[in-house]
């Protein structure tokens, strides 16, 4: 075998990487491959002359120096002759994604799929070369068949044991919160991946399925020549024939586990503040429960548990881009096959959360998508939604709605008088709201421990994603408007207290700062009309309500906001943690963050 033939085989063909598996005699192709990149070794004990491509000592030293470099590119580790178009994956070619996954902030389960010889090992070995070893675990059933001498001896009767060992290794790695776990098996059919998919859902990992992009990946003849385990062409033909195209239940942007928990905690805190600030909203929820109670601390605590989170949801919050039901939904197959969708899988996106919405049925976090993420959002509910003022689009089978209707009818007379008296106190141009115990936290401003925003020259920049800045026109509530909003609220409250107004003693204060400033002026990052307005994280729902109802509740809320924005009706804002809250009536309470939360997410499928 000539060195030139060896060089071409290594740089252009399927992977022949088995780093650290075989006792080897190292040598370099000094004239054909840069010595600082790779070194080549042969098995001195094997008669088949198995070739190994592995990192050189110089590369490992260079790797440690460049891990923290802002300009580090994993593809730079490859020899210049390698066709990098076969390695076009976000964690290689997108610097923001690479840095995010190569940190402790995310947990990603990469599931390799492909026929032997298709190029899986090339991808896996580049992952091993790129990511820090302390943050990476690679699990492969093939490892079971490698002896102490480094030789590979496959025994079909032990295949089940090999996969069990692989599963145990993966489970241990995930339980230890290893940032990147790679499953390096063929995974030809969905059931072969089920254990790992369930494991990821339970332990808060984002699943990214990776298939080699080599042109011979489904060519049995080429695969039989290129695979390193001497798999027969008959066996490869069977695998090619049974290879499944796995369509997920849905595509989504997945938030990390710690940020998901933080947002859920924040939502409960803000819910309690809103229940305290808006007694009418509290009474709406009590009516849904068929109860009439005074608003004390115990009642607020009880209503804080009004919403529940389904156990099947897992620990990760997600913003659904397209519901597919594994290909059963019309249009899901074409969406799954879109080039931009497949290219985006595994990529990090920074998205904004401008506020929360609480209704009688659901609670959700609104999402504003950037120009890079917006084309991936595909929700037919937006197009099918009825015009403002109509209720078409709400699911008629929502359990909580149907079960609570009879309860509400029985209790209407009990709260009718109270509602009537409240209506008399309402002004014709707005709503009155309580601010009994809710105080704005000036020291915290627009930031808090769980979420940080990067501000530069008056613009909000998505931290870690310099390609997606928000201009000053897109910035959230400006400092001047924020100050005016707070000062007007305080001034109105003090004026009422001086006049001896009963309502002032309850903490009620004025509408938004001026009729010249609409809702869209106050909160420019908020999207309540046009496309993508229903993008959201489902936080919790009332008992018996399905998660999909958040779509319809949010669309209905957008209709209400559009009408308020057009008619210029003054609004009453109550300062709450990190923003302001407003009760729009009809059981709709919204929290608008003074500065939108910036969350890093990974786009992928849920399988």
């Amino acid at each position: 075998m000539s060195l030139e033939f060896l060089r071409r085989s290594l740089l252009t063909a399927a992977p022949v990487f088995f780093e650290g598996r075989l006792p080897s005699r190292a040598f370099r192709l000094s004239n054909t491959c840069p010595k600082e990149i790779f070194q080549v070794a042969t098995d001195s004990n094997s008669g088949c002359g198995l070739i190994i491509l592995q990192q050189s000592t110089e590369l490992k030293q260079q790797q440690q120096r460049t891990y923290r470099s802002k300009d580090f590119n994993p593809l730079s580790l490859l020899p210049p002759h390698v066709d990098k178009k076969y390695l076009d994956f976000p964690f290689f070619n997108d610097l923001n994604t690479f840095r995010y996954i190569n940190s402790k902030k995310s947990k990603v389960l990469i599931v390799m799929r492909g026929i032997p010889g298709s190029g899986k090992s090339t991808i896996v070995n580049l992952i091993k070369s790129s990511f820090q070893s302390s943050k990476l675990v690679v699990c492969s059933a093939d490892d079971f068949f490698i002896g102490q001498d480094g030789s590979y001896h496959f025994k079909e009767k032990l295949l089940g044991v090999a996969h069990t060992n692989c599963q145990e290794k993966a489970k241990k790695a995930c339980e230890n919160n290893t940032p990147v776990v790679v499953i390096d098996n063929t995974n030809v059919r969905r059931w072969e991946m089920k254990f790992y998919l369930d494991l990821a859902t339970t332990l808060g990992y984002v699943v990214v399925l990776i298939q080699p992009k080599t042109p011979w990946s489904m060519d049995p003849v080429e695969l039989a020549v290129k695979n390193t385990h001497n798999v027969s062409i008959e066996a490869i033909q069977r695998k090619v024939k049974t290879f499944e195209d796995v369509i997920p239940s849905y595509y989504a942007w997945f938030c990390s586990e710690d940020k998901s928990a933080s947002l859920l905690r924040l939502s409960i805190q803000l819910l309690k503040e809103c229940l305290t600030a808006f007694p009418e909203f509290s009474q709406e929820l009590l009516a849904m429960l068929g109860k009439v109670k005074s608003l004390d601390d115990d009642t607020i605590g009880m209503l804080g548990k009004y919403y529940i989170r389904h156990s099947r949801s897992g620990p990760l919050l997600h913003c659904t881009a397209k519901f597919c039901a594994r290909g059963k939904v019309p249009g899901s197959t074409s969406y799954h096959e879109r080039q931009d969708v497949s290219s985006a899988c595994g990529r990090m996106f920074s998205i904004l959360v401008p506020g929360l919405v609480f209704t009688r049925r659901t609670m959700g976090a609104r999402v504003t998508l950037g120009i890079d993420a917006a084309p991936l959002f595909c929700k037919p509910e937006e197009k099918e939604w009825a015009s403002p003022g109509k209720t078409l689009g709400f699911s008629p089978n929502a359990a909580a709605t149907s079960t609570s209707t009879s309860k509400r009818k029985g209790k209407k007379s009990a709260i009718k008088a109270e509602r009537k008296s409240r209506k008399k106190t309402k002004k014709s141009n707005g709503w009155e709201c309580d601010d009994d115990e809710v105080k704005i936290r000036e020291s915290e401003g627009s930031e808090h421990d769980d979420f940080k925003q990067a501000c530069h020259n008056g613009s909000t920049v998505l931290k870690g994603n310099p390609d997606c800045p928000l201009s000053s026109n897109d910035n959230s509530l400006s400092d001047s408007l924020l100050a005016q909003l707070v000062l007007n609220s305080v001034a109105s409250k003090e004026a009422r207290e001086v006049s001896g107004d009963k309502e002032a003693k309850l903490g009620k204060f004025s509408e938004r700062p001026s009729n010249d400033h609409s809702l869209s002026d106050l909160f420019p990052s908020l999207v309540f009309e046009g496309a993508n307005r229903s993008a959201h994280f489902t936080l919790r729902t009332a008992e018996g309500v399905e998660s999909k109802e958040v779509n319809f509740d949010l669309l209905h809320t957008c209709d209400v906001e559009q009408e308020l924005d057009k008619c210029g009706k003054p609004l009453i804002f109550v300062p709450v943690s990190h923003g302001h809250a407003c009760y729009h009536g009809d059981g709709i309470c919204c929290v608008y963050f003074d500065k939108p939360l910036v969350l890093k997410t990974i786009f992928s499928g849920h399988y």
Side-chain angles (χ1 to χ4, degrees):
M1 179 184 297
S2 66
L3 289 180
E4 178 62 20
F5 176 80
L6 177 61
R7 184 187 68 81
R8 290 181 180 178
S9 300
L10 291 172
L11 300 184
T12 62
V16 283
F17 293 33
F18 291 92
E19 180 183 354
R21 293 181 180 177
L22 299 175
S24 57
R25 174 175 51 83
F27 67 93
R28 289 196 180 92
L29 299 178
S30 57
N31 296 325
T32 59
C33 185
K35 66 180 182 179
E36 71 275 8
I37 300 297
F38 287 112
Q39 65 186 14
V40 181
T42 58
D43 176 14
S44 58
N45 298 324
S46 174
C48 64
L50 183 63
I51 304 300
I52 314 156
L53 187 61
Q54 59 188 19
Q55 291 182 10
S56 65
T57 303
E58 291 90 338
L59 174 61
K60 291 181 180 179
Q61 294 174 351
Q62 175 189 355
Q63 188 181 32
Q64 297 301 322
R65 295 192 300 269
T66 58
Y67 268 136
R68 299 294 180 180
S69 172
K70 294 182 179 180
D71 301 325
F72 176 68
N73 184 353
L75 295 181
S76 65
L77 298 175
L78 292 171
H81 302 83
V82 173
D83 195 339
K84 297 180 178 61
K85 69 182 180 181
Y86 300 150
L87 298 169
D88 185 21
F89 299 102
F91 43 81
F92 290 151
N93 59 26
D94 184 76
L95 180 59
N96 294 321
T97 300
F98 170 76
R99 292 173 62 185
Y100 179 62
I101 295 179
N102 200 29
S103 67
K104 295 182 179 180
K105 299 178 181 178
S106 69
K107 296 197 301 184
V108 179
L109 182 71
I110 298 176
V111 179
M112 300 301 304
R113 304 190 68 216
I115 314 299
S118 60
K120 295 191 308 301
S121 296
T122 296
I123 299 171
V124 172
N125 279 275
L126 184 55
I127 291 175
K128 292 165 67 176
S129 300
S130 305
F131 292 90
Q132 299 182 48
S133 58
S134 61
K135 301 175 182 177
L136 171 70
V137 171
V138 177
C139 309
S140 175
D142 282 340
D143 292 342
F144 183 81
F145 300 106
I146 298 176
Q148 295 181 353
D149 61 349
S151 59
Y152 180 83
H153 300 286
F154 176 76
K155 296 181 180 179
E156 187 174 358
K157 64 180 181 180
L158 297 178
L159 187 59
V161 179
H163 279 286
T164 299
N165 285 355
C166 182
Q167 292 173 359
E168 291 176 351
K169 183 178 180 180
K171 182 179 179 180
K172 182 178 179 180
C174 291
E175 289 176 341
N176 291 334
N177 295 317
T178 305
V180 182
V181 179
V182 180
I183 309 301
D184 184 17
N185 296 326
T186 56
N187 294 309
V188 172
R189 288 162 289 187
R190 180 188 290 269
W191 68 263
E192 298 175 31
M193 300 179 285
K194 187 178 185 306
F195 174 86
Y196 305 105
L197 302 180
D198 293 343
L199 182 68
T201 300
T202 303
L203 298 180
Y205 275 76
V206 180
V207 174
V208 181
L209 299 189
I210 297 298
Q211 294 180 219
K213 299 181 179 182
T214 51
W216 63 83
S217 61
M218 289 295 171
D219 185 341
V221 177
E222 286 291 322
L223 293 171
V225 173
K226 295 179 183 295
N227 83 87
T228 58
H229 292 329
N230 297 320
V231 182
S232 66
I233 189 171
E234 293 79 14
I236 289 179
Q237 287 175 335
R238 289 194 298 269
K239 289 182 177 292
V240 170
K241 186 177 181 179
T242 58
F243 195 88
E244 294 182 7
D245 183 18
V246 179
I247 301 178
S249 299
Y250 54 82
Y251 282 98
W253 291 272
F254 292 88
C255 189
S256 66
E257 185 176 16
D258 61 331
K259 291 297 186 285
S260 296
S262 297
L263 186 54
L264 286 169
R265 288 194 302 268
L266 178 63
S267 66
I268 290 298
Q269 174 188 341
L270 289 169
L271 171 62
K272 293 181 179 179
E273 294 184 20
C274 289
L275 291 170
T276 303
F278 305 113
E280 190 171 9
F281 177 51
S282 300
Q283 293 296 343
E284 286 281 353
L285 299 189
L286 287 172
M288 294 293 290
L289 296 174
K291 298 179 179 180
V292 178
K293 288 188 175 183
S294 59
L295 292 180
D296 53 21
D297 292 342
D298 292 337
T299 303
I300 297 299
M302 179 193 71
L303 291 178
K305 301 178 182 179
Y306 175 83
Y307 305 96
I308 61 174
R309 182 160 174 81
H310 300 289
S311 57
R312 67 177 182 273
S313 301
L316 300 185
L317 293 177
H318 68 273
C319 173
T320 302
K322 174 66 176 178
F323 180 68
C324 300
R326 299 184 179 181
K328 298 177 182 178
V329 175
S332 58
T333 301
S334 59
Y335 180 90
H336 168 72
E337 294 173 349
R338 280 170 46 178
Q339 180 61 37
D340 60 336
V341 173
S342 60
S343 298
C345 284
R347 181 183 170 190
M348 189 276 289
F349 289 83
S350 291
I351 61 178
L352 301 181
V353 177
L356 308 179
V357 174
F358 304 109
T359 72
R360 288 186 290 257
R361 308 186 308 163
T362 63
M363 59 186 294
R366 310 175 87 150
V367 167
T368 300
L369 301 172
I371 57 175
D372 54 346
L376 300 172
F377 188 78
C378 181
K379 284 291 189 72
E381 295 90 343
E382 289 187 351
K383 297 180 180 180
E384 298 170 358
W385 183 248
S387 58
K390 297 182 181 180
T391 58
L392 179 63
F394 280 89
S395 175
N397 298 322
T401 303
S402 60
T403 56
S404 61
T405 300
S406 58
K407 295 180 180 180
R408 292 189 65 192
K409 288 181 178 179
K411 299 295 181 180
K412 274 186 177 180
S413 58
I415 60 175
K416 186 175 181 181
E418 183 177 357
R419 287 189 176 181
K420 189 175 181 180
S421 63
R422 288 182 182 277
K423 288 182 180 179
K424 290 181 180 179
T425 63
K426 286 186 180 181
K427 289 187 176 181
S428 60
N429 62 350
W431 290 273
E432 301 287 350
C433 303
D434 286 343
D435 184 36
D436 223 358
E437 299 176 357
V438 182
K439 303 294 180 182
I440 189 166
R441 302 185 179 185
E442 297 179 357
S443 61
E444 293 180 345
S446 63
E447 297 185 351
H448 48 91
D449 293 338
D450 298 321
F451 303 97
K452 301 291 183 182
Q453 288 77 37
C455 298
H456 181 64
N457 295 333
S459 298
T460 298
V461 179
L462 305 188
K463 191 174 181 182
N465 194 353
D467 296 330
C468 302
L470 297 179
S471 67
S472 57
N473 292 331
D474 294 330
N475 202 1
S476 57
L477 187 62
S478 66
D479 293 338
S480 59
L481 287 178
L482 173 60
Q484 190 178 359
L485 180 62
V486 176
L487 289 176
N488 279 19
S489 299
V490 174
S492 176
K493 180 178 179 180
E494 291 177 349
R496 294 182 179 219
E497 288 176 346
V498 171
S499 64
D501 192 335
K502 279 187 177 182
E503 293 176 358
K505 293 179 181 180
L506 294 175
K508 303 194 175 186
F509 54 83
S510 179
E511 63 271 4
R512 64 189 177 195
S514 171
N515 289 341
D516 296 334
H517 298 297
S518 64
L519 190 62
S520 55
D521 292 331
L522 293 172
F523 307 100
S525 63
L526 185 68
V527 177
F528 55 83
E529 58 183 347
N532 305 337
R533 66 189 185 278
S534 65
H536 68 276
F537 290 115
T538 296
L539 301 176
R540 289 178 172 85
T541 64
E543 187 174 0
V545 177
E546 296 182 12
S547 298
K548 66 179 182 180
E549 299 301 323
V550 180
N551 283 306
F552 306 120
D553 281 6
L554 183 52
L555 287 169
H556 178 55
T557 300
C558 289
D559 289 345
V560 172
E561 291 173 332
Q562 288 179 46
E563 288 299 306
L564 292 171
D565 210 47
K566 290 177 182 178
C567 68
K569 182 178 293 187
L571 301 176
I572 304 298
F573 290 96
V574 173
V576 294
S577 298
H578 319 300
H580 288 75
C582 183
Y583 182 62
H584 296 307
D586 195 27
I588 300 174
C589 184
C590 294
V591 174
Y592 304 101
F593 294 133
D594 295 338
K595 292 288 181 72
L597 310 179
V598 182
L599 298 180
K600 293 181 179 180
T601 63
I602 293 181
F603 182 82
S604 190
H606 182 270
Y607 301 91

